Amino acid sequence: MTIKMVQTTVKWWQKAVIYQIYPKSFKDTNADGIGDLRGIIEKLDYLQKLGVDAVWLCPINSSPMCDNGYDISDYYTIEPSFGTNEDMYELIEEAKKRNIKIIMDLVVNHCSDQHAWFQKALKDPEGKYGQYFYFRKGIDGKLPNNWRSIFGGSVWEKVEGTDYYYLHIFTKQQPDLNWENPSLREEVYKIINFWLEKGIGGFRLDAITYLKKEPGLPSFEADAKDGMVSAMYGSLNRPGIHAFLQEMKDKTYGRYDAFTVGEVAGAEGEEALPFISLENGFFSSIFDISHVQLDTVGPNYFWCSHRTWDANELREALYEAQMAIQPQGWYANSIETHDAPRSIDYYLPQEGRNYYGASMLAMLYFYLRGTPFIYQGQEIGMRNFPFASIEEYDDCSSKNQYAFSLEQGYSEEEALHFVHLRSRDNTRYPISWDASEKAGFTDGKPWLPIHPNHTSLNVAVQENDPYSLLSFYKKLIAIKKEARYETVWAEGEFVPVLKEYPMLVAYERRTKEQRFTILCNYQNEPCTILMKDKEPDLLLNNYNTLQKDGNKWQLQPYQALLFDGEV
Ligand code: GLC
Ligand code: CA
């Protein structure tokens, strides 16, 4: 059966490859140990050579950095440790010269408790600025409700010297903004338009399905021993959120040729469609997160609720997600972000954590229907960080999850093990640019340590090696952007194939005229498949050879192949 694909004019971002930068760890130019905007400007040539069309910067606005920039205290200025507004304008210009667009992180579910709005609100919770937030009085000396924040503990924080509490779905330094208030919404639109007018290419919308809260903020039945319930029940993708998102789009980026990608939790499968319909979605795209929690049980994603999984499960999750939003929707596809561990450590078993496994993974997600994202360092195969104790971590969620595991009765060793597997610092430590002492990241003391493996695993080594992972990524990108293949990537249908072979992730991308096949042998064993008589053109192979015996092909462990044609 062939699905009728929605025909809209192809947008620039349907052909794009996007690179995610965690500015604090990208490149430091003034030896304070913290990456900065001038560092990004310095590395633009690197990004251009890689072949990316846009760069998503994790938050760079002024922030006390309690959640590394996801707590913004002034939306109109650049965080001083990252640089100045002038640096940002220069970055936008310099990137433009290289045909690279800059995408900002828009964090408007909450701001920082240091933001002027919140400081004024604290002085007068019933006043104008109090209405920008959620202030509630306790009930019979108890908290206003039993919601547990995403980072642990209650969502309510007491305002000293008053009867009031304020709501924070994330850390207590991140008070939630009250989107019910039209004045607040207008303030947010002003901010968005300010940056669009500066020439940015779009936004990644942080925690965007949390904007609408269940009316009355009621308690729900507890879902863990702590007597609390995840704040998700009362704040994630609640009825009424669509109206907020439509208004935001109409008054801001909907008027530009901008790319928007939502961090949309709580709207899977068809529920995701209103967000990403190519004709009139609230956003251009959302991240496919169907596979990022395969290692935890239950709706809360506690790191201690750990489970094992295999490639067949991943394959099911991916196929299902792709099929559910086709033909109208468009995904942002990624295997690494600043919120997740390194992909090699997460997606591959021990025996696959090598060049073959890493390049297979890259091929697997890169040609799915959607826009591929690469997280900084992923292109050279950077790895999780071997921190020795919980004190060495910076990430607030690592500390909270550690404490939660102990509360649940796990030993310190077990709790640390869960943090090793899942910590966000696994992707937040500095990039290894070269083999020098500070990995070419800084001349000062890096804010998080340099990975001990940087002496052998770094950009400089791989740039000169045609068989490195970095070179493989360059090939993937080049093929994605080659004019004669562009249509199949931008408009081709996604069709799962060869499902009868376990541990083989195989799919086609099809238009009426073209048919491409991707084969990924996701295991440490060979996999023999029977081929049709006509042999398709091999475009990319992560091995030097392809073993054939008549019409039998033997794929090697973690071999990945891309064909122009049907298999
Ligand atoms: C998103 C961000 C994450 C941040 C959280 C709160 O999930 O990706 O890094 O901690 O929102 O803003
Ligand atoms: Ca710096």
Side-chain angles (χ1 to χ4, degrees):
M1 186 188 77
T2 311
I3 302 181
K4 173 143 176 25
M5 302 301 282
V6 165
Q7 290 299 334
T8 51
T9 37
V10 173
K11 321 268 189 328
W12 66 267
W13 40 264
Q14 287 183 273
K15 299 180 186 169
V17 175
I18 302 186
Y19 189 88
Q20 181 187 356
I21 288 187
Y22 199 69
K24 202 169 177 182
S25 295
F26 193 65
K27 169 74 186 166
D28 174 26
T29 54
N30 63 349
D32 63 357
I34 295 175
D36 42 55
L37 296 187
R38 301 224 67 84
I40 301 174
I41 295 174
E42 229 175 70
K43 293 291 181 187
L44 282 171
D45 290 337
Y46 169 76
L47 297 171
Q48 188 183 23
K49 263 193 249 157
L50 188 58
V52 304
D53 306 272
V55 165
W56 152 29
L57 304 179
C58 278
I60 50 164
N61 295 119
S62 294
S63 165
M65 293 279 163
C66 294
D67 187 19
N68 276 350
Y70 285 94
D71 46 328
I72 295 178
S73 53
D74 184 350
Y75 289 90
Y76 293 100
T77 56
I78 297 299
E79 159 59 24
S81 59
F82 291 158
T84 62
N85 280 43
E86 281 59 45
D87 292 335
M88 179 62 178
Y89 307 149
E90 191 180 322
L91 171 60
I92 296 169
E93 274 315 302
E94 287 300 316
K96 200 166 162 194
K97 286 183 195 157
R98 295 165 177 84
N99 292 319
I100 296 175
K101 294 181 201 281
I102 300 292
I103 292 166
M104 287 176 82
D105 216 314
L106 185 71
V107 190
V108 290
N109 172 68
H110 43 265
C111 62
S112 159
D113 61 352
Q114 301 306 307
H115 195 289
W117 298 335
F118 191 71
Q119 288 299 313
K120 289 182 201 159
L122 281 179
K123 296 200 183 97
D124 183 9
E126 299 280 357
K128 174 178 174 200
Y129 288 100
Q131 307 300 321
Y132 276 34
F133 299 91
Y134 290 93
F135 284 92
R136 294 288 183 277
K137 287 189 171 160
I139 301 173
D140 304 330
K142 292 202 215 97
L143 300 171
N145 71 25
N146 70 341
W147 298 0
R148 182 191 313 105
S149 93
I150 303 295
F151 291 148
S154 168
V155 296
W156 295 103
E157 185 68 16
K158 190 86 194 275
V159 184
E160 285 298 322
T162 74
D163 299 337
Y164 287 100
Y165 294 81
Y166 66 87
L167 177 85
H168 60 90
I169 300 291
F170 294 87
T171 71
K172 65 177 181 199
Q173 294 90 356
Q174 294 166 302
D176 278 57
L177 291 165
N178 176 10
W179 274 71
E180 305 295 336
N181 179 349
S183 312
L184 177 273
R185 299 206 299 272
E186 287 303 325
E187 293 276 10
V188 171
Y189 305 153
K190 241 171 72 189
I191 294 164
I192 300 176
N193 287 325
F194 173 86
W195 287 108
L196 284 167
E197 276 155 31
K198 298 291 178 209
I200 63 157
F203 293 99
R204 177 262 188 186
L205 299 104
D206 182 68
I208 203 69
T209 25
Y210 285 96
L211 298 188
K212 180 88 186 180
K213 275 63 176 179
E214 186 74 20
L217 311 176
S219 285
F220 294 98
E221 197 186 320
D223 67 0
K225 286 188 210 155
D226 59 5
M228 290 191 260
V229 63
S230 165
M232 288 187 282
Y233 290 90
S235 63
L236 190 55
N237 199 20
R238 304 312 303 153
I241 188 164
H242 290 185
F244 289 160
L245 300 178
Q246 188 66 48
E247 182 186 271
M248 171 162 67
K249 177 184 175 188
D250 291 345
K251 295 197 169 186
T252 62
Y253 47 77
R255 302 169 179 173
Y256 290 75
D257 183 22
F259 172 71
T260 47
V261 51
E263 187 198 23
V264 166
E268 276 91 46
E270 291 189 348
E271 264 184 70
L273 282 174
F275 294 84
I276 49 174
S277 152
L278 283 171
E279 281 159 333
N280 55 10
F282 307 132
F283 315 131
S284 315
S285 184
I286 63 174
F287 291 100
D288 172 15
I289 50 170
S290 61
H291 46 94
V292 300
Q293 305 286 6
L294 284 172
D295 66 328
T296 48
V297 196
N300 283 313
Y301 309 129
F302 295 128
W303 296 355
C304 57
S305 310
H306 187 69
R307 67 184 284 276
T308 47
W309 53 275
D310 71 17
N312 293 326
E313 261 183 85
L314 171 71
R315 170 170 92 162
E316 274 318 299
L318 272 179
Y319 287 176
E320 205 183 296
Q322 286 273 314
M323 297 304 287
I325 63 144
Q326 180 158 264
Q328 307 100 302
W330 189 259
Y331 268 136
N333 295 311
S334 67
I335 50 171
E336 254 176 52
T337 71
H338 65 295
D339 287 332
R342 287 290 177 181
S343 55
I344 297 185
D345 295 276
Y346 183 85
Y347 289 99
L348 294 165
Q350 189 65 47
E351 59 277 13
R353 294 177 188 159
N354 52 36
Y355 167 79
Y356 296 107
S359 51
M360 184 276 307
L361 260 186
M363 173 106 85
L364 188 159
Y365 91 99
F366 216 77
Y367 297 123
L368 294 169
R369 196 161 162 282
T371 302
F373 279 62
I374 301 171
Y375 179 80
Q376 65 179 39
Q378 175 190 323
E379 72 275 25
I380 57 165
M382 286 178 71
R383 303 292 302 274
N384 280 354
F385 198 95
F387 290 103
S389 72
I390 189 68
E391 288 73 38
E392 291 176 20
Y393 284 91
D394 170 80
D395 166 28
C396 56
S397 73
S398 298
K399 293 179 199 282
N400 291 330
Q401 292 280 346
Y402 180 80
F404 186 81
S405 301
L406 294 181
E407 268 166 47
Q408 299 297 303
Y410 291 99
S411 70
E412 287 180 5
E413 202 186 321
E414 288 164 325
L416 190 61
H417 173 66
F418 298 133
V419 173
H420 271 151
L421 294 179
R422 281 310 294 256
S423 175
R424 307 193 294 178
D425 286 341
N426 283 318
T427 43
R428 294 180 176 191
Y429 68 88
I431 290 225
S432 305
W433 290 106
D434 61 39
S436 66
E437 195 197 339
K438 310 276 175 63
F441 165 69
T442 181
D443 291 328
K445 184 177 182 302
W447 75 281
L448 270 184
I450 301 296
H451 200 296
N453 71 7
H454 79 280
T455 48
S456 54
L457 197 165
N458 60 61
V459 172
V461 176
Q462 296 200 13
E463 265 185 327
N464 299 320
D465 174 1
Y467 298 104
S468 66
L469 188 62
L470 178 58
S471 298
F472 188 78
Y473 266 96
K474 285 183 184 163
K475 287 179 205 152
L476 283 174
I477 298 173
I479 291 178
K480 172 112 171 95
K481 303 187 65 177
E482 212 167 301
R484 62 198 156 127
Y485 306 143
E486 244 177 26
T487 316
V488 84
W489 305 134
E491 301 184 64
E493 183 187 345
F494 169 88
V495 184
V497 293
L498 303 178
K499 282 200 202 161
E500 62 278 24
Y501 295 91
M503 310 300 263
L504 179 75
V505 184
Y507 57 89
E508 285 183 3
R509 295 294 310 281
R510 271 188 209 168
T511 60
K512 270 198 213 98
E513 297 76 28
Q514 279 171 306
R515 199 178 250 215
F516 279 27
T517 309
I518 289 92
L519 298 185
C520 298
N521 182 26
Y522 205 133
Q523 60 187 332
N524 201 33
E525 309 290 323
C527 166
T528 306
I529 59 174
L530 276 181
M531 300 295 305
K532 299 218 169 68
D533 297 333
K534 190 168 168 282
E535 200 172 312
D537 289 341
L538 180 58
L539 294 185
L540 191 57
N541 181 357
N542 65 347
Y543 275 71
N544 291 331
T545 53
L546 174 55
Q547 285 193 30
K548 297 178 208 165
D549 175 8
N551 67 343
K552 270 193 207 147
W553 289 9
Q554 196 182 55
L555 306 195
Q556 297 308 298
Y558 302 103
Q559 186 160 21
L561 302 157
L562 168 66
F563 295 99
D564 178 350
E566 191 185 350
V567 163

